[in-house]
Amino acid sequence: MGKVLTLDTLNRALLLENIHPDATARLTKAGYEVRTMPRALGEDDLIAALHGVSLVGIRSQTHVTQRVLAAAPELLAVGAFCIGTNQVDLAAAARRGVAVFNAPFSNTRSVVELAIAEIISMARRLPEKNANMHAGVWDKSSRGAHEVRGRKLGIVGYGNIGTQLSVIAESLGMSVYFYDIADKLAIGNARRCSSLEDLLESVETVTLHVDGRAGNHGFFGEAEFARMRPRSLFLNLSRGFVVDHVALRRHIESGHIAGAAVDVFPAEPKGNGEEFVSELRGLSNVILTPHIGGSTEEAQQDIGDFVSTKLIDFAESGATSMSVNMPNAALPAVPGTHRLSHLHQNVPGVLATINRVLAEHGVNVEGQLLRTRDELGYVLTDIGTTYSEDVLDELRAMGVTIRLRTIESG
Ligand code: NAI
């Protein structure tokens, strides 16, 4: 089951789906021969392209299935240069010791900037003013136009995006309220609300930044819109399925909701060119955008840097920090040592067995770290550079060993 893979024999990387050139630059600098392709690959083509490849980078369209993983024994890690990782069989990858990384934070700032732009646009009624001007209508008036300074913003979901939005909205002079189902530290002067109802009744603008857990399907509907204060603004840049768009349309048409900005939809076109169908089309002071909250050049560049660094760190030091399918462990490199990275089934006594094997061969441990995650255990062990192959053979022969790698440090 186990195998020893040495880094210096595995230095080829494959980057698919137009990943940012910064990723190529980083991998090249780290000694990789990088092959890039603009498109996704189907299963058979991917299997062929992965021959001899240790690191692969994909975005949302390439599916790394169990069959692909089984046919790519040299593969060490998969970088999903995006947020989602549904396109990778994470469990199958973990069972083979293939670490999977993504970029959960890289586009948060982009989402926040779009939300701020939309809040100001709606408060100034820019969608209507702009449409009127294009239709030749000059409507110079301050009626219904507001500054955002001093206005109350309610953030639902105070995670990576919600907290950053909180900081930037406060810097514009907004009063921030938030509601989250988890205990969250209030940043700056933000006020925590004890319930969603409390938030909806307190603020003039409601913006959703909840995650996509199953329980959030249809979580914001008729009852929640009805609770919002009259003439409030509403934004959703989180997930399409969390909002009932029929209820939203009704509240916009009645004038109860004064404006809305929506970036995500329950059903989105598969690609450019397919018609966008939504209850929200054709409403004034409603900003509709095609799921572009996180789509900026800066976010793509950050994703390229972030994920390629994770891949290189894993290959060079065994670090699995923020991997989505492996126990998370990282040890600083110690020059003049070899590192053993050992992925195993998480059963009692594995660490003791590894250390017994090392001790019996007179191998001293210079540093060691064990982390577990569900049925997996992962231990990084730094040892001196002189040891016999028998040590590796014995570790590999342990019944629980999934993958063993030796890495030369520093
Ligand atoms: P996160 O996981 O850091 O934060 C989500 C927060 O929502 C967590 O604190 C969680 O406790 C809270 N939450 C979940 N359900 C809740 C509920 N029913 N009521 C109150 N709080 C709830 O996620 P992050 O990175 O801040 O992203 C937020 C959303 O934005 C996600 O749904 C993500 O998919 C979406 N997103 C959209 C993009 C776009 O292009 N429009 C780009 C990036 C992310």
Side-chain angles (χ1 to χ4, degrees):
M1 196 177 198
K3 67 190 89 163
V4 177
L5 296 169
T6 314
L7 176 64
D8 56 8
T9 59
L10 294 168
N11 57 357
R12 289 169 65 200
L14 172 68
L15 298 182
L16 303 172
E17 302 189 63
N18 248 338
I19 287 166
H20 195 278
D22 274 21
T24 308
R26 262 182 203 274
L27 286 159
T28 306
K29 198 163 165 225
Y32 284 80
E33 181 191 302
V34 183
R35 181 176 175 208
T36 60
M37 296 177 89
R39 306 185 64 81
L41 289 180
E43 212 175 36
D44 289 337
D45 291 339
L46 182 58
I47 287 171
L50 282 178
H51 185 70
V53 164
S54 55
L55 303 178
V56 65
I58 58 165
R59 291 173 68 185
S60 59
Q61 301 302 314
T62 303
H63 291 263
V64 182
T65 59
Q66 190 163 358
R67 193 174 147 240
V68 169
L69 290 159
E74 287 133 308
L75 193 63
L76 283 182
V78 177
F81 285 73
C82 52
I83 316 296
T85 51
N86 292 343
Q87 70 282 36
V88 183
D89 188 332
L90 297 180
R95 282 197 298 274
R96 297 183 170 274
V98 174
V100 182
F101 298 94
N102 68 342
F105 312 132
S106 295
N107 64 5
T108 53
R109 172 70 188 213
S110 303
V111 178
V112 168
E113 289 195 14
L114 184 62
I116 292 284
E118 291 178 335
I119 291 167
I120 296 176
S121 297
M122 287 190 285
R124 298 297 293 271
R125 306 194 74 82
L126 295 190
E128 280 176 6
K129 301 279 180 201
N130 180 55
N132 280 343
M133 291 292 277
H134 283 284
V137 178
W138 182 266
D139 173 25
K140 180 173 160 54
S141 138
S142 56
R143 189 170 28 84
H146 297 278
E147 293 183 351
V148 298
R149 178 173 50 168
R151 288 176 72 82
K152 292 176 181 162
L153 174 66
I155 299 174
V156 184
Y158 206 58
N160 297 319
I161 293 173
T163 48
Q164 272 205 64
L165 177 59
S166 176
V167 172
I168 296 182
E170 278 199 345
S171 74
L172 288 169
M174 300 189 84
S175 297
V176 174
Y177 294 64
F178 73 90
Y179 168 68
D180 198 295
I181 45 174
D183 278 340
K184 293 284 173 164
L185 174 69
I187 309 284
N189 302 313
R191 270 160 274 197
R192 174 204 307 271
C193 295
S194 55
S195 66
L196 179 61
E197 292 72 25
D198 182 17
L199 177 134
L200 298 177
E201 288 165 6
S202 304
V203 302
E204 295 130 344
T205 299
V206 173
T207 183
L208 304 188
H209 299 286
V210 298
D211 56 51
R213 71 186 68 192
N216 282 342
H217 275 260
F219 128 91
F220 209 97
E222 175 57 38
E224 289 69 31
F225 285 117
R227 281 250 183 196
M228 286 172 64
R229 288 164 58 157
R231 310 298 300 155
S232 290
L233 301 175
F234 174 81
L235 294 91
N236 182 22
L237 293 90
S238 62
R239 296 292 180 97
F241 57 72
V242 304
V243 176
D244 176 350
H245 283 181
V246 176
L248 174 57
R249 181 175 186 106
R250 211 163 32 237
H251 282 269
I252 291 167
E253 284 176 332
S254 74
H256 178 65
I257 302 293
V262 182
D263 186 46
V264 285
F265 302 87
E268 296 180 358
K270 299 253 180 311
N272 293 345
E274 188 181 314
E275 189 185 356
F276 164 65
V277 179
S278 166
E279 292 86 358
L280 302 177
R281 277 174 50 180
L283 293 170
S284 65
N285 214 29
V286 172
I287 302 173
L288 302 179
T289 45
H291 205 146
I292 50 157
S295 306
T296 62
E297 307 240 345
E298 288 76 10
Q300 286 308 318
Q301 182 172 13
D302 203 83
I303 290 169
D305 286 339
F306 187 88
V307 180
S308 57
T309 301
K310 292 284 173 208
L311 293 174
I312 293 165
D313 283 353
F314 178 66
E316 291 186 349
S317 75
T320 48
S321 318
M322 292 182 62
S323 164
V324 293
N325 69 335
M326 298 267 278
N328 284 190
L331 261 186
V334 180
T337 63
H338 276 187
R339 175 164 294 174
L340 305 179
S341 89
H342 186 260
L343 183 74
H344 54 262
Q345 289 157 23
N346 181 20
V347 294
V350 177
L351 193 58
T353 308
I354 291 173
N355 287 340
R356 183 182 50 73
V357 170
L358 295 174
E360 282 173 2
H361 288 83
V363 176
N364 193 41
V365 172
E366 311 279 345
Q368 192 168 53
L369 180 67
L370 167 74
R371 289 283 180 267
T372 62
R373 178 176 187 159
D374 304 325
E375 71 277 14
L376 294 176
Y378 186 56
V379 60
L380 297 172
T381 307
D382 287 338
I383 58 175
T385 53
T386 45
Y387 52 88
S388 88
E389 276 293 315
D390 296 348
V391 176
L392 304 180
D393 288 342
E394 278 191 41
L395 294 176
R396 194 185 311 138
M398 287 166 59
V400 293
T401 299
I402 295 172
R403 196 164 191 171
L404 174 70
R405 227 168 27 110
T406 57
I407 303 165
E408 289 182 32
S409 294

